[in-house]
Amino acid sequence: MLGLEYILGLYNMQHIELAEKLGIKKQNINLWIKGKQNIPKKYLPVLEELFGIDKEYFIKELTEIEKLEIQKEKLKKDLKPVIKNHEQQFMIGEINDLVEVPIYDKEEMNAIERNIEKAKLVSRFKEALDIVDNNPYMDTYKLIIELLEKVQHEVVLHKTIEALAHYYEVLPDWVVSEPEQEEFEEEIFEVFDDHNF
């Protein structure tokens, strides 16, 4: 779905209404949405200003993450949330460092932030599955899903995953969830060493 169509639906705006705001015919909007005509560049800054959304979103096919980002911008515009405080989180991936994550006074904003984070995780998990066409670790991925579905609340799962992240240097040593984690990791690393892992 082209971004313009998604944004118009989200804002509950009819083609005729947008056409009037842009001073053009409704047929032009229809042609843009059907992909039969590109949105002229002169209208992109106007659309950006009108909706408060980056002009690039209007002219492309949107991913699920981009749709959530657009919803977030609409919520910001509608709710005018205030950042109550910031929470420090270790960001794994491109940054690999502590980042300040805003905590809003409106739960809808915090919920959309969580949904965006979940969508990014799902996307990364899918990419990990697609690294190799005939992935030899498919059974391991199935087990990971089973564990997440059935025992995601269990402490041993979290401690073991964090230990593996330290062991393979995905997490730096200074990022530790709780004091007992270090003792747990010392013991589990001894097992790894005993078995020459």
Side-chain angles (χ1 to χ4, degrees):
M1 173 184 291
L2 191 66
L4 177 62
E5 183 179 8
Y6 179 77
I7 293 164
L8 287 177
L10 185 65
Y11 280 76
N12 200 23
M13 185 181 287
Q14 300 298 317
H15 296 188
I16 188 77
E17 186 181 347
L18 179 60
E20 288 171 1
K21 290 180 184 287
L22 297 177
I24 59 176
K25 294 180 180 174
K26 176 186 169 195
Q27 289 81 354
N28 291 53
I29 307 296
N30 292 335
L31 291 171
W32 297 349
I33 287 176
K34 290 178 182 173
K36 294 184 178 180
Q37 195 178 79
N38 291 332
I39 301 172
K41 289 184 180 177
K42 70 179 184 177
Y43 292 113
L44 292 176
V46 180
L47 291 169
E48 185 175 50
E49 178 70 28
L50 184 63
F51 293 98
I53 296 170
D54 189 285
K55 60 188 171 196
E56 296 303 315
Y57 286 129
F58 292 95
I59 57 175
K60 63 189 281 190
E61 294 290 325
L62 298 175
T63 66
E64 289 307 308
I65 295 170
E66 289 168 333
K67 289 177 183 177
L68 288 169
E69 292 285 356
I70 291 168
Q71 290 174 30
K72 178 175 123 180
E73 291 307 313
K74 182 177 186 308
L75 272 177
K76 278 185 182 177
K77 196 174 182 180
D78 293 347
L79 300 176
K80 297 177 181 35
V82 174
I83 296 173
K84 291 193 310 188
N85 59 6
H86 286 84
E87 185 178 272
Q88 279 196 338
Q89 291 180 358
F90 186 78
M91 191 65 65
I92 297 174
E94 300 165 13
I95 302 169
N96 282 347
D97 203 358
L98 284 176
V99 293
E100 296 281 326
V101 177
I103 306 299
Y104 295 95
D105 65 338
K106 308 279 192 226
E107 182 49 34
E108 297 94 333
M109 286 300 299
N110 296 321
I112 195 92
E113 291 283 6
R114 288 190 300 273
N115 288 338
I116 290 169
E117 189 63 28
K118 284 188 246 180
K120 288 178 179 178
L121 286 172
V122 168
S123 176
R124 287 187 65 198
F125 192 82
K126 185 181 177 330
E127 287 171 11
L129 287 172
D130 292 342
I131 287 174
V132 179
D133 184 35
N134 186 14
N135 199 313
Y137 305 111
M138 204 58 84
D139 287 340
T140 303
Y141 289 126
K142 289 176 186 175
L143 284 172
I144 291 169
I145 295 297
E146 286 290 320
L147 288 167
L148 289 174
E149 287 176 347
K150 295 181 176 157
V151 294
Q152 68 172 274
H153 60 282
E154 294 291 338
V155 174
V156 71
L157 178 69
H158 296 276
K159 286 184 172 293
T160 304
I161 289 173
E162 187 174 330
L164 286 170
H166 282 127
Y167 188 76
Y168 289 110
E169 299 177 353
V170 172
L171 276 179
D173 290 338
W174 56 268
V175 177
V176 180
S177 60
E178 51 191 39
E180 304 87 39
Q181 182 68 25
E182 289 183 41
E183 184 180 329
F184 177 82
E185 288 181 11
E186 285 175 17
E187 292 178 23
I188 203 167
F189 292 170
E190 277 183 37
V191 173
F192 293 167
D193 290 343
D194 290 347
H195 291 84
N196 297 320
F197 290 134

